[in-house]
Amino acid sequence: MSELLVRTITGIILAAAAVFSVLYFPVWLFKITIALITGIGTWEIFHLLSKRFEGINPLFFGISGFFLSIIFLFLPPFLIFFLIFLISFYTAHRVYSLDTLTASVFGLSYGVFFISSLALLHEQNKYLLLVLFATVWAGDTMAYFVGKTIGKHRLAPRLSPKKTWEGAFGSIIGSVFAGGLAAYLFEIPEAIIPVLIASILMQIGDLFESFLKRQIGEKDSSHLIPGHGGLLDRIDALIFASVVFVIFFQIKNTL
């Protein structure tokens, strides 16, 4: 079976599961589901970081990521900042390394806040997640096919040699079209603003994870998903775009 076919079948299954959970899971169950995903994503982050920094146990941080996500989604959010620093200090003091402390704070912050933002968006309005999915999935699809077809100019050769400026522009066009259409169909016209912003920043989300992997010397964050690599490889752009949506609607609701 070709890599593209495996990638396509796996992508369809994951997309169907994601849409089903968004539409039919109650808020509390969706939050727990996202906390589990956060735990897996955090494990992947520290699986990478453990190759460079001393004293890091990926399983410990994966479990920590799950519980920190639960705390973030169900309890007063400021508590999580305190716990991130405590967990990071506990890890770093055992090897007496400022680098390990910095890596731990970064890994927990990136994993927990970015992935958990999906649950915050669902709590706000579950149809916003469908707009988000349309934005990111259309962008990913267009980036792949446009890049394969006419991509010639490298976007960031040191970070992601296969990504091109042509693919990035194709991604932005696809994201704006699909995200805008979804916002119209679900009668959330104001969502077009985060769609526009996210269509650009999701390119950075992809490069951000590529930067992390290249620093460690790995191609994928793990091998959990056939044809896609790890969980983070599948959702790196999604979680960056999700944070954009959450920030926009939190600001909108406070004005």
Side-chain angles (χ1 to χ4, degrees):
M1 188 179 296
S2 70
E3 181 181 350
L4 177 59
L5 183 58
V6 171
R7 182 183 178 90
T8 301
I9 293 173
T10 305
I12 290 173
I13 293 172
L14 291 174
V19 171
F20 179 85
S21 64
V22 167
L23 291 176
Y24 298 108
F25 281 13
V27 171
W28 66 269
L29 180 57
F30 191 81
K31 285 184 175 181
I32 293 175
T33 302
I34 293 300
L36 287 170
I37 293 173
T38 299
I40 296 170
T42 306
W43 171 81
E44 287 190 344
I45 293 168
F46 283 94
H47 170 69
L48 294 173
L49 293 176
S50 66
K51 299 177 185 298
R52 174 68 67 86
F53 301 98
E54 293 182 84
I56 288 179
N57 183 331
L59 180 59
F60 168 75
F61 278 100
I63 295 171
S64 297
F66 168 73
F67 285 108
L68 287 171
S69 181
I70 291 289
I71 292 168
F72 179 57
L73 295 173
F74 287 98
L75 295 174
F78 200 79
L79 174 60
I80 193 174
F81 291 101
F82 187 57
L83 292 176
I84 284 175
F85 275 83
L86 285 180
I87 293 170
S88 299
F89 177 66
Y90 166 75
T91 300
H93 95 279
R94 301 172 68 192
V95 292
Y96 202 65
S97 171
L98 182 60
D99 289 340
T100 298
L101 176 64
T102 304
S104 300
V105 172
F106 156 73
L108 288 174
S109 299
Y110 176 44
V112 175
F113 289 116
F114 278 67
I115 302 176
S116 297
S117 67
L118 294 165
L120 297 180
L121 203 58
H122 182 266
E123 187 174 33
Q124 168 87 24
N125 181 346
K126 63 183 179 182
Y127 295 106
L128 282 173
L129 269 177
L130 299 185
V131 176
L132 172 68
F133 290 164
T135 301
V136 175
W137 293 345
D140 283 348
T141 303
M142 285 291 288
Y144 180 81
F145 286 106
V146 172
K148 281 282 188 180
T149 305
I150 62 172
K152 293 182 179 179
H153 302 88
R154 302 301 177 190
L155 178 61
R158 293 184 65 184
L159 299 182
S160 189
K162 294 183 179 180
K163 297 192 183 302
T164 63
W165 281 102
E166 292 85 353
F169 284 124
S171 172
I172 292 171
I173 293 170
S175 291
V176 172
F177 176 79
L181 180 60
Y184 171 77
L185 292 175
F186 293 118
E187 299 181 346
I188 318 173
E190 64 272 27
I192 190 61
I193 298 176
V195 165
L196 289 169
I197 300 171
S199 69
I200 298 172
L201 290 186
M202 59 186 273
Q203 314 300 321
I204 300 175
D206 195 12
L207 292 175
F208 184 88
E209 200 220 338
S210 293
F211 173 81
L212 175 60
K213 291 185 294 186
R214 296 301 179 269
Q215 289 293 312
I216 304 301
E218 293 289 333
K219 182 178 181 293
D220 299 313
S221 59
S222 75
H223 303 286
L224 289 177
I225 306 176
H228 294 273
L231 174 69
L232 285 176
D233 299 317
R234 185 65 224 151
I235 66 171
D236 50 5
L238 179 70
I239 58 178
F240 255 70
S242 177
V243 170
V244 171
F245 273 66
V246 169
I247 291 172
F248 173 80
F249 282 99
Q250 285 187 344
I251 292 175
K252 176 180 176 293
N253 292 336
T254 58
L255 295 179

